[in-house]
Amino acid sequence: MTTPSHDQAVPVPVRLLLPDGQEIVARLWRRRQLPDGWRYEVGIPAYTNTSEGGVEPAEYRVWVRAPEHVRPVDGVSYDAVPTEPLEQPSPVREALGPRRPSGWVLQKLSGGHGPGQAVLHTPDCDEAPEGAPVLELERALDAAEKAGVRLCSLCGAAAELDPVLRGFDHIGDDS
């Protein structure tokens, strides 16, 4: 089912329950589902004063809870009302969890040259330096192949990059 965009919306009548117990007919513009329930944007008929001192019809729009504050009008179809359902989480995303930021960052260690001069991390690693540029895969692999650069095992950089560097044949080897 497609619904018109907000610009093309044609409001339909709906009964609105006011806080003092009155019930009036308002205009339903759109519906939105939130985690705690539905909200309806309704237009309430009102008057406004003009700059010339006159009075003219106006509409006050407000979001209200449904079904607590609104009731359908008999014989009115609500099929064409723009509706924003709650985005359903993907079963794959639920199973895998949130994705980590893409890329890798290089932490240059003080102490000059030789073994242990740099560590390659994922961008969200607690040990990764703040503000370091994020490297794409090719640049990360180039850095990882240099002498003195090790892969962080805390954040998963080693688990992600080691198979690419050494090939997948070594996985499961005891060496």
Side-chain angles (χ1 to χ4, degrees):
M1 173 176 102
T2 60
T3 58
S5 72
H6 186 58
D7 296 338
Q8 302 167 346
V10 176
V12 294
V14 66
R15 293 183 310 161
L16 177 66
L17 307 175
L18 298 178
D20 66 358
Q22 292 182 69
E23 184 176 298
I24 63 170
V25 176
R27 299 186 331 156
L28 176 60
W29 284 94
R30 61 185 167 150
R31 306 179 278 201
R32 178 179 295 151
Q33 186 179 21
L34 300 175
D36 67 339
W38 284 91
R39 300 294 187 280
Y40 284 22
E41 183 183 26
V42 296
I44 302 169
Y47 290 100
T48 188
N49 295 327
T50 66
S51 58
E52 297 81 34
V55 176
E56 65 183 22
E59 181 177 72
Y60 173 73
R61 289 196 191 175
V62 63
W63 287 94
V64 296
R65 291 170 110 24
E68 297 96 298
H69 303 128
V70 292
R71 302 283 185 270
V73 172
D74 291 338
V76 174
S77 172
Y78 295 96
D79 292 343
V81 175
T83 302
E84 302 169 23
L86 185 65
E87 187 175 309
Q88 297 299 318
S90 158
V92 171
R93 180 70 57 222
E94 281 188 20
L96 296 178
R99 289 184 61 178
R100 74 159 184 84
S102 62
W104 293 268
V105 294
L106 189 62
Q107 176 187 20
K108 296 180 181 176
L109 303 174
S110 60
H113 308 285
Q117 68 183 11
V119 180
L120 204 55
H121 299 276
T122 60
D124 59 343
C125 179
D126 291 338
E127 301 295 318
E130 287 189 36
V134 177
L135 306 175
E136 297 292 326
L137 177 61
E138 290 301 319
R139 292 196 59 213
L141 291 173
D142 289 343
E145 290 179 325
K146 293 182 180 174
V149 176
R150 65 182 176 83
L151 304 175
C152 179
S153 58
L154 295 175
C155 65
E160 291 178 22
L161 294 175
D162 199 48
V164 179
L165 289 168
R166 296 179 47 199
F168 291 92
D169 294 337
H170 79 282
I171 296 175
D173 291 350
D174 292 338
S175 56

